[in-house]
Amino acid sequence: MKILLIGGGGREHAIAEGIKKSKHNPILYALMAKKNPGIAALCEDFLLEKETEVEKVVEYAKARKIEMAFVGPEAPLAAGVADALWDAGIPVVGPKKACAIIEFDKAWARNFMKKYGIEGCPAYEVFTEEAPAHAFIEKLGDVAVKPSGLTGGKGVKVMGDQLPDIKAAREYTSELLEKGPVVIEERFIGEEFTLQAFVDGKNLAFFPAVQDHKRAYEGDLGPNTGGMGSYTDAGEILPFMVPEDIEKAKKIMQHTVTALREETGTGYQGILYGQFILTSRGPKVVEFNARFGDPEAMNVIPLIETDFVEIMSAVTKGTLGDLPVKFSRKATVCKYAVPAGYPDNPKKDSEVIVGDIGEASVYYASVYEKEGKIYTTTSRAVAVVGCAETIEAAEKVAQNALENIQGELFFRRDIGTASLIQKRIDHMKELRG
């Protein structure tokens, strides 16, 4: 079978690896904006092209006689790439634009949750004017401020975190309003976790929960990034969770999929990513995304025991309910090596040399290859993943790999460590009382 992968980041490298492990020996093609050396090595052929160029994507897919496609990032979904491929007779893992809106329009997503009574929705309002937005901030007193559109995971700012006080929240709101609508919502206090699922329009196959680390520096300090690393435990839940937490999150996602079909008339087929925050009142929805997380994809895809191509086929045919999707019960720790100065002033064009990474897996993200050498761009460069029986053991595998990657890079050593995880456990114990 000929499969087309759209996207060229670390997430897509993990997807490519998952596809290539299939017993059906798929022939993989890729379309990506920049050459990802890890993806290129797994492909029969690839095209360097903007992933949002819908006509070019379809043209390439037809020319290569593609039989199924997987859309990795959010931007091509927002551009309608999945719709165009389906129209060309090519089944796609990745929701059509009518459903992908749940990620690329945060105002729509909150109004949709409210309309269908989906649990976990905060008190919120959507604003296009400064005065009422500022008044609502004053009324709530403790808020999160979100641009309505796509921001690469870096646009949301929260009081008590990136926004020190109400004045800062008002100023940031005014700045965002110059570009478009802004969502102001109550700030939730708790521990964030990600729950991802394959969706065939009706049925969901859930991955283990993951915790991402957005802040650039150790101790959860510094500016927000696309994600410096993440971990899973050897099972469905994370150490600070109880089984009831994951069951509530699953019900929210199931309700969301059912409501999306009712609202749009279109079945959601692809990956649904629920970003939750676990509070003293249970899980609340931070946001939904219409694709795998990055780095979270790199934690969970290696755990899949069911044939990846068979899962893709079931997603596109609506038969996921007939396919038991199984995962190995192991813990994973993913850590990113990023350019020095990232995210504010990243050093680009620095050579990256991957040495002996031991038992870890390596995924190339935003790098480029020139004359057989790998160089940094201005974004995250290389991710490593350790997989073991415990989080502690997986962290050691990942950290050992990072120590053997050379370049003008930095990384967080604390992700997956016992001390940082204990902080999460203590925090939730305190919140639950």
Side-chain angles (χ1 to χ4, degrees):
M1 174 177 273
K2 292 184 174 183
I3 295 176
L4 174 63
L5 173 63
I6 296 149
R11 162 183 51 221
E12 287 76 37
H13 188 179
I15 294 167
E17 190 179 82
I19 291 169
K20 288 296 287 184
K21 283 180 180 174
S22 169
K23 67 187 178 195
H24 298 284
N25 299 316
I27 302 168
L28 183 63
Y29 295 81
L31 185 145
M32 44 192 164
K34 290 191 182 79
K35 181 184 175 184
N36 180 313
I39 296 172
L42 296 169
C43 286
E44 177 77 13
D45 179 58
F46 60 89
L47 176 66
L48 298 182
E49 180 61 75
K50 275 189 179 177
E51 296 139 9
T52 51
E53 291 287 342
V54 179
E55 289 181 10
K56 297 279 179 66
V57 173
V58 175
E59 187 182 296
Y60 182 70
K62 284 180 173 179
R64 294 295 179 268
K65 296 182 169 54
I66 296 300
E67 296 165 83
M68 190 160 50
F70 198 122
V71 182
E74 62 273 23
L77 294 171
V81 163
D83 305 62
L85 286 167
W86 275 108
D87 289 345
I90 299 167
V92 186
V93 178
K96 292 181 178 178
K97 191 172 181 178
C99 290
I101 192 173
I102 200 165
E103 172 168 8
F104 67 78
D105 189 336
K106 290 180 175 60
W108 185 94
R110 285 309 192 201
N111 290 334
F112 160 78
M113 288 185 73
K114 185 177 181 180
K115 177 179 177 180
Y116 288 92
I118 294 168
E119 285 187 40
C121 191
Y124 78 96
E125 292 288 346
V126 182
F127 297 96
T128 56
E129 296 179 6
E130 195 174 74
H134 288 185
F136 191 65
I137 290 169
E138 295 281 355
K139 178 185 171 185
L140 287 184
D142 195 3
V143 299
V145 181
K146 302 181 175 183
S148 188
L150 293 175
T151 59
K154 300 172 193 173
V156 179
K157 293 192 178 182
V158 179
M159 279 181 62
D161 201 338
Q162 301 91 352
L163 303 171
D165 52 29
I166 283 178
K167 181 173 180 250
R170 289 199 304 259
E171 288 172 354
Y172 184 55
T173 299
S174 298
E175 179 188 322
L176 292 178
L177 282 168
E178 293 176 10
K179 302 168 190 170
V182 176
V183 182
I184 310 288
E185 56 190 47
E186 68 173 301
R187 175 197 176 205
F188 288 132
I189 296 173
E191 285 295 332
E192 289 195 22
F193 69 93
T194 303
L195 183 59
Q196 302 166 107
F198 283 114
V199 188
D200 70 355
K202 181 181 178 183
N203 303 290
L204 290 85
F206 291 98
F207 289 86
V210 190
Q211 187 172 53
D212 183 20
H213 298 70
K214 288 286 187 192
R215 304 304 282 272
Y217 310 134
E218 291 178 15
D220 297 319
L221 301 172
N224 265 7
T225 70
M228 292 295 292
S230 44
Y231 69 95
T232 64
D233 205 346
E236 268 199 313
I237 63 173
L238 295 163
F240 56 82
M241 299 171 71
V242 297
E244 185 184 1
D245 299 329
I246 201 92
E247 292 309 315
K248 284 182 178 177
K250 286 180 181 179
K251 283 180 183 174
I252 289 169
M253 288 178 65
Q254 181 70 67
H255 188 183
T256 299
V257 169
T258 304
L260 276 168
R261 182 184 284 277
E262 188 175 337
E263 177 67 19
T264 67
T266 302
Y268 188 107
Q269 291 174 289
I271 306 298
L272 182 63
Y273 166 122
Q275 186 68 43
F276 292 92
I277 184 164
L278 186 54
T279 72
S280 59
R281 295 172 288 143
K284 305 293 181 181
V285 178
V286 175
E287 64 182 6
F288 288 111
N289 291 325
R291 39 70 190 178
F292 275 123
D294 184 341
E296 295 99 327
M298 293 175 275
N299 293 92
V300 297
I301 291 174
L303 296 175
I304 300 172
E305 292 183 341
T306 308
D307 190 282
F308 199 90
V309 170
E310 290 178 12
I311 298 171
M312 287 176 61
S313 182
V315 166
T316 63
K317 291 176 181 174
T319 58
L320 199 55
D322 300 328
L323 182 69
V325 179
K326 296 180 180 177
F327 302 92
S328 56
R329 290 183 62 86
K330 289 193 172 181
T332 65
V333 173
C334 175
K335 298 192 186 193
Y336 252 119
V338 304
Y342 175 83
D344 296 330
N345 188 29
K347 183 171 178 57
K348 62 179 182 176
D349 306 319
S350 169
E351 187 181 356
V352 178
I353 301 169
V354 178
D356 181 5
I357 58 165
E359 298 172 13
S361 299
V362 63
Y363 299 104
Y364 290 103
S366 190
V367 295
Y368 68 93
E369 190 174 7
K370 186 177 178 182
E371 296 174 358
K373 294 181 178 180
I374 307 294
Y375 296 90
T376 59
T377 64
T378 58
S379 193
R380 296 172 297 172
V382 183
V384 295
V385 177
C387 184
E389 301 298 321
T390 64
I391 299 172
E392 182 182 12
E395 189 277 330
K396 287 191 169 92
V397 172
Q399 188 58 41
N400 174 68
L402 277 182
E403 304 287 356
N404 288 287
I405 296 177
Q406 298 174 43
E408 293 185 66
L409 305 162
F410 82 91
F411 45 80
R412 281 184 58 170
R413 293 174 179 275
D414 61 344
I415 294 169
T417 59
S419 59
L420 194 62
I421 289 168
Q422 190 59 49
K423 278 174 69 176
R424 309 288 198 250
I425 295 168
D426 293 343
H427 186 211
M428 278 318 303
K429 277 183 181 174
E430 183 186 340
L431 289 175
R432 292 186 204 263

